[in-house]
Amino acid sequence: MATRGVFQLKKLSLFYCEHGGSSQAIRDFLASGRLLRWAEERPHLEVQVRVRNGKHPYVKGDYLTSPNENAHQICIKSCQTQNPDIEGVLNQLYNRSGRKAKKFTKPVYTDTPSIQGVWTPSLNLHMTSKFPMKVEK
């Protein structure tokens, strides 16, 4: 996702096992060449593929916004579903801003809250002139 024209995802790392059954889907994805096509469409992105034998596979995205805190990772084991959508996981991390989701509990956030309340366009209706309305059939 781009913020002010700058893509926030700077590095995408894929970790998998050479022998484990949970990494079968990602090994097939790498062997088919779909990762190369996906990476060629995004030349500004660094893509790493690393082998971690004996561990479950996952994809990790590092973002520009606070690189130490904002690393998101998604596990892509084959046992979760018969055919995991690895390209969908890559797109999900690519389209993310990198910031944590923040819950807004108040309707308005300001340093100087108004005692009178929030302005809405319907507050000025008494000041507008009346206009004739006709119902046509």
Side-chain angles (χ1 to χ4, degrees):
M1 177 178 209
T3 302
R4 297 187 179 121
V6 178
F7 285 96
Q8 297 301 302
L9 182 64
K10 65 177 181 179
K11 184 169 79 169
L12 193 69
S13 304
L14 283 83
F15 297 91
Y16 73 100
C17 176
E18 292 177 321
H19 311 290
S22 63
S23 297
Q24 183 62 43
I26 196 165
R27 286 195 305 266
D28 294 341
F29 184 75
L30 294 172
S32 68
R34 290 189 295 170
L35 178 65
L36 292 175
R37 286 192 298 268
W38 190 87
E40 286 172 355
E41 294 173 1
R42 296 154 182 87
H44 59 277
L45 181 63
E46 178 186 348
V47 178
Q48 287 183 339
V49 179
R50 294 190 177 184
V51 176
R52 288 184 64 214
N53 286 328
K55 306 285 184 186
H56 288 299
Y58 66 93
V59 180
K60 179 181 172 187
D62 293 316
Y63 296 88
L64 290 174
T65 53
S66 303
N68 296 335
E69 300 170 8
N70 291 325
H72 298 284
Q73 67 183 31
I74 299 175
C75 182
I76 47 174
K77 294 192 298 187
S78 295
C79 62
Q80 290 175 344
T81 60
Q82 287 295 341
N83 190 11
D85 184 20
I86 296 171
E87 195 164 349
V89 170
L90 297 178
N91 287 329
Q92 180 182 359
L93 288 173
Y94 179 73
N95 292 330
R96 200 169 186 169
S97 69
R99 295 185 183 97
K100 301 248 181 198
K102 184 177 181 182
K103 182 179 179 183
F104 293 109
T105 56
K106 294 182 184 177
V108 176
Y109 290 91
T110 178
D111 292 334
T112 55
S114 172
I115 297 171
Q116 299 174 351
V118 180
W119 180 86
T120 61
S122 64
L123 293 176
N124 292 337
L125 285 178
H126 68 283
M127 298 170 51
T128 59
S129 62
K130 303 275 183 194
F131 57 90
M133 292 178 33
K134 294 181 184 178
V135 178
E136 295 183 1
K137 294 184 180 183

